[in-house]
């Protein structure tokens, strides 16, 4: 077989010099050369080397050609959706840009992990990612690449990559929302408005197109049902995108009957009465997935389906129970008794104005039966999430929901003094973004001078916080060899089990004795423990997502170590090593001797479980008079 080479006197691809009888590679047709150079085994470096061999191959590997397009699409398949099919593009330039973005994002994430490790809640300094001047979809793709790597490795890098992705998607949603709010009211879609609540759940892999596709599927089911009842119904003949309204009340009734039949009988959608305050009830993609929701989310779904079938329903901001109204008189009537009210939460039940009052147990004025705009619907949706955040348990998850919903609400209604003050207090409480707190307080003072007392208090203490940040306290370094730490038996990274509560956890910090206040010690009944508050206490991340402070006598090494599914694991650990977590660089600076201790404890534990090594120490029985608490 002849050897293909690049040209006379040129080295071949396999390193063999050319001979007169050798077939010249460059004599092949361009299409065949492109096919060869798109071989999966060839990498970008190989293509660069080939293109340097001669002018012929350089021309075949030009930036807009098939070869670099193949390299780009194979390396970053998620980015294909940003390009039209058969689009002429400088793929080499795109490849270089994406590669450069990847390097920059990696460096930025690594630097952020070191700078923000000591902060309890991250601020908004991720804005520096936006200042890189890189294409947004390239930045997001690199962050997703980091998150999709080996799930047990690079945990700290993933932790901060997730935080940055969260921020970038939120910023994109806010920009889109501001554009949406600038549109005339009659051009605003309730479905699109509902999309913006994803600001509070930005990592959800969902788009408006995917939501619309699911709604189209439900609409087709409704049409099928409607076709059985009335094959000649005008809603069945309407082309997609055509604007038409069915005027005949009986024909409208047939549509609503078909919607009820499909939505509540066939697909089994229902109101979530048992877990009403779950935020998932408010996200449209979760409502479609779980087929449960609250009155407002089910009403938007119901109204969207009806409008797709040419029946106009209007949203009603009824107190404590969102409704839809269906006019029974010629358009333009505002008499509340000219409408039928639809309870989407109650399986599409149709109510009179008087029956609506039975839902909430008291009378209301006629104003509450009025139709509202899409922006007002969105405000009520966000208000629901805000109230759920307020009802939270004061953990990071509820604080995050409260932060996000406040940001969203104030984007729509920026001069609401009540929520501006709540936002300032929240940021102050969490100790984050003090400069933003001062801006909010200044805005409140301009809007409502009567808030001077609350504003003055927060301004004073925020300025003190800013001064403290200029002189940060160096974190304490804890060495197990120090005399005051000799009673500490366990080290960071160990997978533990609570003897009394039974939960699984990982240690991320410890104290030689309890450092909580006397009030906490009394409330948690720490003095009922055999060693009281003078024994070592451990900071642990628990499998259920909580962070707790546990006494040493209540913990034991887990006999079958497992990964701990806690959102903060990556903040402290770089990887899971089958039997324990490996502390990241930042945590090791605080506990420099703990890694050797962790390995030693793990080895001792497994040695004690091997045959012939003796029985493992039995766990003491729980004292029936002791008080089992969340944190001990």
């Amino acid at each position: 077989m002849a050897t293909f080479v690049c040209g006379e006197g040129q080295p071949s691809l396999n390193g063999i010099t050319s001979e007169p009888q050798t077939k010249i590679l460059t004599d092949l047709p361009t299409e065949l050369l492109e096919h060869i150079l798109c071989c999966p085994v060839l990498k970008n470096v190989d293509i660069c080397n080939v293109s340097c061999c001669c002018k012929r191959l350089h021309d075949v590997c030009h930036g807009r050609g098939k070869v670099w397009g193949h390299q780009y699409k194979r390396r970053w398949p998620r980015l294909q959706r940003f390009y039209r099919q058969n689009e002429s593009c400088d793929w080499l330039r795109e490849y270089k840009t994406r590669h450069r973005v990847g390097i920059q994002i990696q460096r930025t994430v690594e630097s952020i992990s070191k700078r923000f490790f000591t902060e309890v809640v991250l601020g908004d300094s991720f804005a520096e990612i936006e200042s890189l001047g890189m294409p947004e979809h390239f930045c997001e793709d690199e962050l997703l690449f980091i998150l999709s790597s080996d799930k047990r490795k690079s945990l700290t890098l993933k932790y901060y990559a997730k935080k940055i992705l969260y921020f970038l998607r939120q910023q994109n949603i806010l920009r889109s929302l501001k554009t949406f709010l600038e549109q005339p009211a009659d051009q605003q879609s309730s479905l699109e408005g509902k999309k913006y609540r994803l600001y509070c759940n930005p990592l959800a892999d969902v788009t408006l197109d995917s939501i619309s596709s699911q709604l189209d599927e439900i609409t087709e089911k409704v049409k099928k049902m409607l076709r059985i009842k009335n094959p000649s119904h005008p809603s069945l003949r309407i082309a997609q995108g055509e604007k038409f309204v069915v005027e005949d009340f009986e024909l409208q009734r047939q549509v609503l009957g078909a919607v009820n039949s499909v939505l509540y009988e066939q697909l089994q959608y229902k109101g979530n009465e048992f877990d009403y305050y779950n935020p998932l009830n408010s996200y449209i993609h979760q409502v479609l997935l779980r087929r449960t929701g609250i009155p407002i989310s089910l009403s938007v779904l119901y109204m969207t389906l009806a409008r797709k079938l040419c029946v106009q329903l209007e949203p009603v901001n009824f107190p404590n129970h969102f409704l839809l109204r269906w006019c029974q008189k010629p358009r333009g009537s505002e008499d509340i008794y000219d409408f039928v009210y639809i309870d989407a939460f109650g399986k599409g039940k149709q109510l009179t104005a008087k029956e609506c009052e039975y839902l909430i147990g008291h009378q209301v004025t006629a104003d509450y039966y009025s139709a509202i705009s899409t922006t007002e619907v969105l405000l009520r949706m966000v208000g629901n999430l805000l109230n759920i955040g307020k009802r939270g348990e004061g953990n990071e998850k509820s604080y995050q929901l409260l932060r996000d919903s406040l940001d969203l609400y104030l984007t729509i209604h920026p001069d609401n003094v009540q929520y501006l003050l709540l936002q300032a207090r929240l940021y102050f409480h969490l100790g984050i973004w003090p400069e933003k707190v001062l801006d909010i307080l200044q805005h409140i003072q301009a809007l409502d001078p009567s808030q001077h007392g609350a504003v003055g208090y927060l301004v004073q203490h925020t300025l003190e916080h800013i001064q403290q940040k200029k002189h940060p306290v160096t974190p304490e370094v804890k060495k197990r060899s120090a005399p005051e730490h000799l009673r500490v038996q366990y080290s960071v990274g160990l997978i533990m089990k609570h003897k009394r509560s039974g939960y699984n956890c990982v240690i991320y910090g410890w104290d030689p004795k309890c450092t909580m206040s006397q009030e906490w010690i009394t409330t948690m009944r720490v003095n009922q423990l055999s060693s009281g508050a003078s024994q070592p206490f451990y900071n642990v991340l628990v499998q259920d997502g909580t962070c707790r402070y546990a006494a040493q006598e209540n913990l034991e090494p887990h006999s079958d170590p497992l990964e701990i599914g806690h959102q903060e694991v990556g903040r402290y650990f770089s990887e899971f090593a089958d039997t324990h977590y490996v502390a990241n660089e930042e945590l090791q600076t605080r506990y420099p001797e703990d890694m050797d201790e962790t390995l030693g404890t793990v080895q001792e534990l497994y040695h004690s479980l091997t045959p012939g090594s003796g029985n493992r120490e039995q766990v003491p029985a729980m004292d029936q008079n002791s008080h089992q608490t969340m944190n001990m």
Side-chain angles (χ1 to χ4, degrees):
M1 179 180 292
T3 301
F4 288 107
V5 298
C6 299
E8 188 172 357
Q10 298 289 336
S12 67
L13 290 179
N14 60 6
I16 301 175
T17 57
S18 62
E19 297 179 3
Q21 71 273 20
T22 304
K23 178 66 176 178
I24 304 302
L25 177 64
T26 52
D27 289 343
L28 296 176
T30 299
E31 292 79 6
L32 185 55
L33 278 174
E34 288 178 337
H35 181 75
I36 293 171
L37 294 175
C38 288
C39 175
V41 299
L42 295 178
K43 308 298 182 185
N44 61 305
V45 176
D46 300 319
I47 302 303
C48 289
N49 291 335
V50 167
S51 65
C52 293
C53 290
C54 65
K55 185 178 185 304
R56 165 71 169 144
L57 290 177
H58 182 271
D59 291 342
V60 172
C61 299
H62 67 89
R64 293 184 177 276
K66 181 179 179 180
V67 177
W68 276 111
H70 174 78
Q71 284 289 328
Y72 180 87
K73 294 171 184 176
R74 190 181 67 184
R75 176 79 180 272
W76 298 293
R78 280 190 297 260
L79 293 175
Q80 290 191 44
R81 62 190 177 91
F82 293 98
Y83 303 93
R84 295 187 301 272
Q85 192 172 8
N86 300 323
E87 178 180 4
S88 176
C89 181
D90 190 335
W91 295 112
L92 178 56
R93 185 182 64 187
E94 294 289 289
Y95 194 102
K96 289 178 178 178
T97 303
R98 172 62 183 83
H99 180 70
R100 188 166 59 251
V101 169
I103 294 173
Q104 189 63 52
I105 290 294
Q106 288 273 350
R107 290 174 178 170
T108 303
V109 175
E110 289 171 0
S111 69
I112 284 176
S113 69
K114 293 178 173 60
R115 281 182 286 135
F116 291 110
F117 175 74
T118 57
E119 295 192 18
V120 176
V121 181
L122 299 177
D124 289 73
S125 300
F126 292 147
E128 66 188 72
I129 290 288
E130 293 187 306
S131 68
L132 294 177
M134 303 295 188
E136 183 178 303
H137 58 290
F138 283 2
C139 295
E140 178 167 318
D141 188 69
E142 181 62 27
L143 293 169
L144 289 171
F145 174 77
I146 293 172
L147 292 173
S148 64
S149 59
D150 186 348
K151 69 176 185 177
R152 293 188 171 193
K153 305 288 185 181
S154 305
L155 300 181
T156 301
L157 202 64
K158 291 177 187 175
Y159 175 81
Y160 289 99
K162 191 173 182 179
K163 296 282 186 184
I164 296 170
L165 181 61
Y166 196 100
F167 171 81
L168 289 179
R169 286 190 173 178
Q170 283 190 325
Q171 296 308 109
N172 187 43
I173 291 171
L174 282 186
R175 286 191 293 269
S176 180
L177 173 59
K178 290 174 183 177
T179 301
F180 173 82
L181 294 173
E182 292 171 356
Q183 297 175 355
D186 59 351
Q187 296 180 18
Q188 295 177 345
S189 159
S190 294
L191 177 62
E192 185 177 355
K194 205 171 192 321
K195 176 190 71 172
Y196 296 111
R197 276 191 297 176
L198 288 175
Y199 182 86
C200 302
N201 189 21
L203 298 182
D205 189 14
V206 60
T207 64
L208 187 59
D209 288 340
S210 66
I211 293 171
S212 297
S213 178
Q214 293 178 70
L215 290 172
D216 287 341
E217 290 180 11
I218 299 175
T219 303
E220 287 304 314
K221 293 180 185 295
V222 176
K223 285 184 176 181
K224 185 177 180 180
M225 181 66 67
L226 187 59
R227 192 172 288 111
I228 295 173
K229 296 181 178 180
N230 184 357
S232 61
H233 197 287
S235 296
L236 301 174
R237 301 192 299 271
I238 302 302
Q240 188 171 3
E242 182 180 350
K243 291 186 177 180
F244 174 79
V245 177
V246 173
E247 299 289 353
D248 184 271
F249 295 133
E250 180 54 35
L251 293 176
Q252 292 180 17
R253 192 181 306 278
Q254 291 174 6
V255 169
L256 299 183
V259 170
N260 284 353
S261 180
V262 170
L263 210 56
Y264 302 111
E265 296 176 18
Q266 184 177 337
L267 299 179
Q268 295 290 302
Y269 276 80
K270 60 183 181 298
N272 196 345
E273 298 178 353
F274 300 104
D275 193 13
Y276 191 89
Y277 294 102
N278 188 329
L280 297 182
N281 294 325
S282 296
Y283 305 132
I284 185 62
H285 67 289
Q286 287 292 340
V287 173
L288 291 168
L289 175 66
R290 301 161 72 236
R291 300 186 182 184
T292 59
I294 53 177
I296 192 168
S297 57
L298 291 173
S299 291
V300 170
L301 172 59
Y302 194 106
M303 180 174 61
T304 303
L305 294 173
R307 289 184 175 179
K308 281 177 172 290
L309 293 163
C310 312
V311 175
Q312 293 297 310
L313 302 178
E314 297 174 303
V316 177
N317 203 17
F318 205 68
N320 302 322
H321 199 106
F322 200 86
L323 297 169
L324 299 170
R325 72 179 192 178
W326 170 31
C327 188
Q328 302 295 291
K329 297 290 183 180
R331 286 191 205 177
S333 173
E334 285 301 323
D335 189 330
I336 65 173
Y337 297 105
D338 287 344
F339 292 86
V340 167
Y341 299 88
I342 298 174
D343 180 11
F345 188 78
K347 298 187 176 181
K349 185 177 180 180
Q350 297 179 5
L351 308 169
T352 65
K354 193 65 178 176
E355 288 172 328
C356 292
E357 295 179 346
Y358 298 150
L359 289 174
I360 58 175
H362 60 84
Q363 292 183 333
V364 295
T365 62
D367 294 341
Y368 288 103
Y369 290 90
S370 301
I372 59 173
S373 67
T374 298
T375 300
E376 290 171 309
V377 173
L378 182 56
L379 273 175
R380 176 149 172 176
M381 291 174 173
V382 178
N384 285 341
L385 287 172
L386 205 155
N387 289 328
I388 293 171
K390 288 181 182 178
R391 292 171 59 93
E393 299 177 353
N395 53 30
E396 183 176 350
K397 192 173 182 179
S398 62
Y399 283 140
Q400 186 67 59
L401 179 59
L402 189 55
R403 282 185 63 190
D404 293 343
S405 53
L406 276 171
D407 289 346
L408 200 52
Y409 194 99
L410 291 168
T411 298
I412 305 168
H413 196 340
D415 295 335
N416 186 304
V417 172
Q418 174 191 355
Y419 287 145
L420 282 168
L421 192 56
L422 177 59
Q423 186 181 55
R425 285 172 172 161
L426 178 63
Y427 285 178
F428 175 78
H429 172 74
L430 297 176
I432 59 174
W433 213 5
E435 296 78 13
K436 176 66 173 178
V437 173
L438 292 179
D439 290 341
I440 296 170
L441 294 172
Q442 185 177 11
H443 186 45
I444 293 172
Q445 187 65 35
L447 291 171
D448 185 1
S450 68
Q451 298 289 340
H452 177 74
V455 168
Y457 173 85
L458 288 172
V459 166
Q460 177 186 346
H461 287 82
T462 301
L463 290 173
E464 292 175 0
H465 181 204
I466 292 175
Q467 288 300 318
Q468 291 173 1
K469 287 184 69 175
K470 293 179 180 179
H471 307 285
V473 178
T474 303
E476 179 186 1
V477 176
K478 297 180 180 180
K479 294 185 177 182
R480 294 169 57 83
S481 58
E484 65 270 22
H485 298 157
L486 294 180
R487 295 180 60 200
V488 178
Q489 295 180 8
Y490 307 125
S491 51
V492 297
L494 277 179
I495 310 298
M496 310 297 289
K497 185 170 184 177
H498 197 280
K499 298 176 184 178
R500 300 185 177 188
S501 301
Y503 61 72
N504 301 321
C505 59
V506 57
I507 296 172
Y508 69 94
W510 47 258
D511 297 308
K513 61 181 180 179
C514 183
T515 59
M516 302 298 282
S517 66
Q518 187 58 49
E519 180 183 1
W520 186 91
I521 290 173
T522 302
T523 303
M524 297 293 105
R525 302 185 185 181
V526 172
N527 293 326
Q528 290 188 8
L529 298 172
S530 59
S531 299
S534 62
Q535 65 181 303
F537 270 69
Y538 298 84
N539 303 103
V540 295
L541 303 175
V542 184
Q543 182 70 35
D544 64 7
T546 59
C547 302
R548 308 192 190 188
Y549 197 51
Q552 179 166 281
E553 69 180 71
N554 282 338
L555 292 175
E556 63 174 345
H558 203 292
S559 60
D560 185 20
L562 71 169
E563 291 183 79
I564 302 299
H566 193 286
Q567 66 273 13
E568 293 290 301
V569 162
R571 185 166 178 236
Y572 303 101
F573 303 104
S574 61
E575 66 177 282
F576 180 66
D578 295 325
T579 57
H580 62 283
Y581 278 94
V582 178
N584 59 22
E585 181 181 346
E586 290 73 35
L587 190 60
Q588 287 183 39
T589 60
R590 291 190 178 186
Y591 301 90
E593 298 176 355
D594 262 29
M595 286 313 301
D596 292 338
E597 293 291 340
T598 298
L599 292 171
T601 305
V602 169
Q603 291 168 356
E604 289 174 10
L605 173 64
Y606 277 91
H607 176 72
S608 69
L609 296 175
T610 56
S613 62
N615 294 327
R616 185 165 171 244
E617 181 182 356
Q618 296 298 310
V619 177
M622 187 178 78
D623 182 355
Q624 294 182 356
N625 295 321
S626 66
H627 179 69
Q628 184 174 333
T629 71
M630 287 292 291
N631 295 307
M632 289 165 50

